[in-house]
Amino acid sequence: MSEVARPTLSDALTERMLELIRTGGHRPGDRLPSTRELSQRFAVTTPTLREALRRLEATGAIELRHGSGIYVGAAIERLVLPNPNMREIHAAQLLELLDARILIEPPLAALAARHAGSEELGALKRALDEASTHLRGQDAELHDANMTFHRATARMAGNSVLHEVVDSLLTVHGPEQREILQIFDDRRRDHEEHLAILEAIEARDEAQAEQRMRAHLMDVKTVIEHRMQPPE
C-alpha cells in the first residue's frame, strides 16, 4: 500500500487562508490583509505565502490586484470550478461538448421561462442587443455576447450548481466555443435562434423555451458534424 502524501506547509496555509475568509465573514470583493500582515499572522515566509495565494487565485477564491492588494474572489462560494489547466480539445470532444450542452441547457431554458423576472429578462435582451451589433465579422465580441446570453439563461433557471456547470463548460472550452462559431458560419441564423429562445422565455412558455434551446443546439451540432467530415 502506498503511503498517503502528507499535507505540505502550502496545503495547510491554503486551508488557513480559506478559514480566515469564512470565519471573518468576508464576501466576494472584500479586501484582505496585506501580504506582510498575512505572513506575520501565519508565521510563514513571504515566498511560502505567495505559493498559497497563487493556488487560491487559480481557483478564483482570491484575486490579486497589482498595486492594490488581495481581494476575495467571485468564485469563493462556487461548487463547480473550471479546470485552469485544460488542454485544447480535439474534434470528437468538440461534439461531446455540444452533447453535454444539449442535455443540460434546454431544461434550464424551461426553468428560466418559469422564473424569469423583469431584471433578468433585461439582461438577456441587452446581451442579444449587443450581439446584434457584431454580426458582420466582429467574432470575438459576438462570441462574448452569445456566451453572456447562454450564461444568463442558465442563471435564471434558479439552480446555482447547474448554472456553474454551464459556466464552467463555456469557460474551459472558450476557444472551442469560438471555433464552433467559425465552423457554424451563419451568424444571422444563430442570432435569430437566440431571439426565438428569448421570445419563448418572455412569454413564459416553458415547453417552447426548452424546445427552441434544444433545436438551436442540435442545429449547431448538425452543421458542425457535417463540416468536420473529411472530403470524399
Side-chain angles (χ1 to χ4, degrees):
M1 181 181 296
S2 60
E3 183 180 352
V4 176
R6 293 183 178 179
T8 65
L9 178 57
S10 183
D11 292 332
L13 188 54
T14 299
E15 288 300 318
R16 292 182 69 186
M17 278 292 301
L18 289 172
E19 183 181 1
L20 169 67
I21 293 171
R22 293 174 184 133
T23 59
H26 296 292
R27 306 293 298 170
D30 288 351
R31 187 172 181 172
L32 296 171
S34 68
T35 302
R36 175 180 294 181
E37 291 174 296
L38 290 171
S39 296
Q40 294 173 346
R41 180 185 187 117
F42 297 127
V44 295
T45 63
T46 299
T48 300
L49 176 67
R50 290 194 182 280
E51 181 182 349
L53 293 178
R54 283 194 294 268
R55 287 188 182 189
L56 292 168
E57 184 181 33
T59 63
I62 65 166
E63 181 182 350
L64 302 177
R65 301 180 191 174
H66 182 69
S68 178
I70 307 166
Y71 294 81
V72 179
I76 185 66
E77 296 176 347
R78 286 183 65 127
L79 296 177
V80 181
L81 291 171
N83 178 6
N85 304 310
M86 182 67 191
R87 295 177 296 178
E88 182 178 353
I89 65 176
H90 51 69
Q93 287 175 309
L94 193 64
L95 297 176
E96 289 177 355
L97 167 62
L98 283 167
D99 282 336
R101 295 184 61 196
I102 288 167
L103 285 172
I104 298 170
E105 291 191 56
L108 293 183
L111 289 171
R114 181 187 304 176
H115 299 304
S118 58
E119 185 175 338
E120 291 84 1
L121 288 172
L124 290 185
K125 291 178 183 177
R126 287 192 295 274
L128 294 188
D129 285 344
E130 176 68 18
S132 70
T133 67
H134 301 298
L135 297 175
R136 298 183 179 274
Q138 298 94 359
D139 281 352
E141 293 83 358
L142 178 58
H143 164 78
D144 288 344
N146 285 343
M147 294 304 100
T148 296
F149 172 78
H150 280 277
R151 286 185 171 96
T153 301
R155 183 170 57 250
M156 285 171 62
N159 186 305
S160 61
V161 176
L162 288 175
H163 167 242
E164 290 178 7
V165 170
V166 172
D167 180 65
S168 295
L169 283 173
L170 299 181
T171 298
V172 170
H173 301 307
E176 289 75 30
Q177 294 294 152
R178 287 189 289 275
E179 185 176 351
I180 285 172
L181 179 65
Q182 293 284 338
I183 299 172
F184 186 67
D185 199 27
D186 195 337
R187 293 153 186 79
R188 175 63 60 180
R189 184 173 75 182
D190 189 59
H191 183 63
E192 288 175 354
E193 290 177 0
H194 284 156
L195 288 172
I197 295 166
L198 173 58
E199 181 183 36
I201 293 174
E202 287 180 313
R204 301 191 180 279
D205 190 329
E206 298 177 35
Q208 277 281 44
E210 181 168 356
Q211 187 276 329
R212 290 178 182 180
M213 180 66 83
R214 180 173 289 106
H216 165 60
L217 294 173
M218 287 294 298
D219 185 26
V220 173
K221 184 187 175 186
T222 299
V223 173
I224 299 299
E225 283 181 315
H226 176 73
R227 295 186 180 177
M228 290 177 67
Q229 289 178 352
E232 297 181 359

